[in-house]
Amino acid sequence: MRPNEPPLLPGGLPIFGHALAFGKNPSKLFEAASKWSTDSQPISVSLLGHRVYIILKPQDRQAAWKEKAVNFDEVVEWGLKTIFGFTEDAVRKMHLDDSANMGSMYTSAHTFYRDNMAPGEKLNLMTTSFLHWMDKDIQDVTRQLEAAPGGEIKVNLADWVRLRLGIPSTNAFLGPEVFQLDPNMLDRMVKMDTDFLHLSSGLPKWIHKDAHDNVNKMIEAIANGYRRDSTALPFITGRMDQMAEREISWHDQAAATFTIWQALQANAIPTAFWMIYGLLYHPEDRRTLEEEIAPAFDKSNRVVNLDHLVKNSPFLSSTFWESMRYSAGSASVRKLTDDVVIGGRTLYKDAMMMLPARPPHFLPEVFGDDCNEWVADRFVRDGTVPGKKNPGIRAVVPFGGGYTMCPGRHFATNEIFSFVATIFRNFDITFCDPSQREVRPKTEWPTLTGLPPDGDVFVTIRLRK
């Protein structure tokens, strides 16, 4: 160990280090690191011979995001090639400049997406498009219920939420042709998440052929279904035009667009599920929410006042931040381009650094003694009752931080608030089994998304009278 380097977590195996534990349950590995670390200082784990620093303390996360030597571009390049099927040719050409002097597409990516998804006209366009497609989907479900025996359907809640949110968001961003070509896109995304360890292993693709074939099918759906004259959002076409100027192939352009689509679904769908599930499991909270959101809708139960939902619905907002906190499962990964000191430890050049989202979200001293539970009013309660803290939403870090903070966070808020409110405004949802056991986030695998439930939740859906 080098001077002042984060100490190595005990329990690693020869050659493998902590890789098997990470693959089996990364959340447990991070929890073990938190318990073993002195004052939650950075610690090291070994993953197949590579030393990886784990950042645990919220203050250290903030310091890491601000540090110039903490690099994201190389991680993006690795992910595009290893997980998302980019060719070596595309990875190389992304570094090239274009006629607008934008420079490398890696270094300009965040600025491009930030400018195209910031509050204002462009955000309004994508939100309006989403609301349009959501209304059409709600109409389809309404017709389905009207034609169903007894006016009701029984569904797996997680699967149903995935479709109800995933279809309109996909249609809004890419146009409807992609889903028409491959209606199983969202199911393939679930498989991709369960295959994440295989996809990210770096092993020859033929070893995990099924996992890579699944990703390629989604890319092909975009490559064959996307149309420039469709209703797709302008910035999607704009980014593809930048790649075309660098003579990047159409398939690789589709692969890049696929990464945007995957990010669009990654946290929105799990967050919406946990909001809906939590409110079903606590009926008194659902009644509070229904009263709060009512002014946002017209007589046809369509959203006509989004500002009321986003700015004047504190209880809805609290369930949103609570669900983001509760289902957090991913970890930001960065590479160090120089030696830095974070949390009193020296992190050395060329090592990798992980900033797991889950440990900071379950600190009793920050979130209260009930931090392991889903609590709808956590972010609106007064915090004066012992053990029941209100940490404020800044304690939740689902969108990362620093210059790489998620540029889509403003749309995600509009999307999820309007979706969850619309579901409860239009449908009466009850558990098929009144004694339905409580489900919790499933932590047993590395993930690119928010965590799914650890069991099935079956519900009956009817039109709300």
Side-chain angles (χ1 to χ4, degrees):
M1 189 173 80
R2 291 168 287 190
N4 199 39
E5 189 170 24
L8 188 65
L9 180 70
L13 301 174
I15 301 176
F16 294 99
H18 302 90
L20 297 181
F22 179 78
K24 184 178 181 181
N25 193 323
S27 292
K28 281 192 175 181
L29 179 65
F30 296 143
E31 182 180 351
S34 298
K35 291 179 179 178
W36 182 76
S37 173
T38 302
D39 193 28
S40 295
Q41 284 185 302
I43 64 120
S44 300
V45 296
S46 176
L47 301 180
L48 298 175
H50 298 283
R51 200 175 189 100
V52 179
Y53 303 128
I54 307 298
I55 307 301
L56 300 166
K57 192 181 294 185
Q59 303 94 296
D60 293 344
R61 294 171 64 91
Q62 295 296 330
W65 279 321
K66 294 176 182 178
E67 178 57 60
K68 293 181 179 179
V70 175
N71 185 272
F72 189 44
D73 294 345
E74 290 188 44
V75 177
V76 171
E77 186 173 330
W78 171 86
L80 289 173
K81 182 171 60 176
T82 306
I83 299 173
F84 292 97
F86 256 47
T87 63
E88 291 281 359
D89 182 65
V91 169
R92 178 181 60 81
K93 288 179 176 177
M94 290 271 286
H95 285 286
L96 301 177
D97 201 351
D98 62 6
S99 59
N101 297 317
M102 292 289 293
S104 165
M105 292 190 71
Y106 297 106
T107 55
S108 66
H110 185 77
T111 301
F112 176 86
Y113 291 119
R114 181 200 63 198
D115 293 347
N116 279 281
M117 304 183 83
E121 183 179 344
K122 293 176 180 178
L123 176 63
N124 293 342
L125 174 64
M126 63 182 69
T127 300
T128 300
S129 181
F130 170 75
L131 292 174
H132 164 75
W133 287 107
M134 181 179 69
D135 286 342
K136 288 179 67 69
D137 188 71
I138 294 297
Q139 292 168 17
D140 290 343
V141 176
T142 298
R143 287 189 289 269
Q144 179 189 10
L145 288 170
E146 289 171 344
E152 64 182 36
I153 58 174
K154 299 181 186 300
V155 298
N156 180 305
L157 181 62
D159 293 343
W160 191 76
V161 169
R162 188 183 310 116
L163 289 171
R164 301 288 69 81
L165 185 55
I167 290 174
S169 63
T170 300
N171 290 347
F173 272 63
L174 302 179
E177 294 84 3
V178 173
F179 257 125
Q180 292 169 5
L181 188 66
D182 186 356
N184 298 316
M185 282 280 285
L186 291 166
D187 292 333
R188 297 192 196 284
M189 184 191 67
V190 174
K191 175 173 169 52
M192 179 184 178
D193 198 43
T194 59
D195 288 340
F196 176 68
L197 195 61
H198 293 160
L199 292 167
S200 61
S201 68
L203 295 171
K205 292 185 178 180
W206 60 265
I207 294 178
H208 299 300
K209 184 176 183 299
D210 180 61
H212 289 285
D213 284 350
N214 178 64
V215 171
N216 198 52
K217 286 176 182 176
M218 289 185 278
I219 294 171
E220 288 177 350
I222 293 174
N224 296 322
Y226 175 80
R227 297 288 182 271
R228 288 181 177 273
D229 59 351
S230 178
T231 56
L233 293 174
F235 85 90
I236 299 289
T237 302
R239 195 63 171 168
M240 296 177 84
D241 287 344
Q242 291 179 0
M243 299 182 74
E245 186 172 347
R246 291 166 172 82
E247 298 183 347
I248 294 173
S249 73
W250 180 250
H251 181 273
D252 284 316
Q253 291 180 44
T257 304
F258 170 63
T259 67
I260 301 171
W261 177 81
Q262 189 276 336
L264 178 66
Q265 315 299 335
N267 284 312
I269 291 173
T271 299
F273 167 83
W274 287 109
M275 290 174 72
I276 293 170
Y277 170 76
L279 291 163
L280 292 178
Y281 202 80
H282 302 280
E284 68 283 2
D285 292 331
R286 174 179 176 170
R287 288 189 287 271
T288 299
L289 178 111
E290 288 174 343
E291 292 177 6
E292 181 181 77
I293 64 175
F297 293 86
D298 64 13
K299 293 181 179 179
S300 300
N301 287 335
R302 297 178 60 191
V303 175
V304 291
N305 188 347
L306 181 62
D307 274 357
H308 176 79
L309 296 178
V310 175
K311 299 177 181 179
N312 299 313
S313 298
F315 193 80
L316 174 63
S317 177
S318 181
T319 65
F320 169 78
W321 289 103
E322 175 68 349
S323 297
M324 293 286 272
R325 179 197 75 87
Y326 189 67
S327 65
S330 60
S332 298
V333 181
R334 303 291 188 268
K335 185 174 181 178
L336 293 164
T337 59
D338 203 348
D339 299 349
V340 298
V341 175
I342 293 177
R345 297 288 187 182
T346 302
L347 281 56
Y348 287 89
K349 179 181 177 180
D350 294 329
M352 303 300 292
M353 180 175 69
M354 278 189 180
L355 298 90
R358 198 158 185 80
H361 287 158
F362 288 81
L363 297 172
E365 61 270 28
V366 177
F367 293 95
D369 294 342
D370 54 2
C371 61
N372 291 320
E373 307 301 321
W374 186 91
V375 179
D377 68 346
R378 186 181 305 279
F379 296 95
V380 292
R381 60 192 184 186
D382 61 22
T384 60
V385 177
K388 295 185 180 297
K389 296 178 178 293
N390 179 343
I393 63 174
R394 290 185 179 275
V396 185
V397 287
F399 298 116
Y403 79 94
T404 58
M405 180 177 285
C406 174
R409 63 191 183 277
H410 305 293
F411 173 74
T413 302
N414 291 350
E415 173 194 24
I416 297 170
F417 280 38
S418 60
F419 172 75
V420 171
T422 296
I423 291 299
F424 281 114
R425 188 71 180 174
N426 283 271
F427 303 114
D428 179 22
I429 307 176
T430 55
F431 293 122
C432 290
D433 179 0
S435 62
Q436 163 80 46
R437 78 168 180 87
E438 185 177 8
V439 296
R440 292 180 175 272
K442 185 175 183 177
T443 62
E444 282 79 8
W445 61 59
T447 179
L448 284 168
T449 71
L451 295 171
D454 63 0
D456 290 329
V457 178
F458 292 100
V459 296
T460 300
I461 300 177
R462 306 175 183 87
L463 288 175
R464 189 177 179 191
K465 302 298 185 183

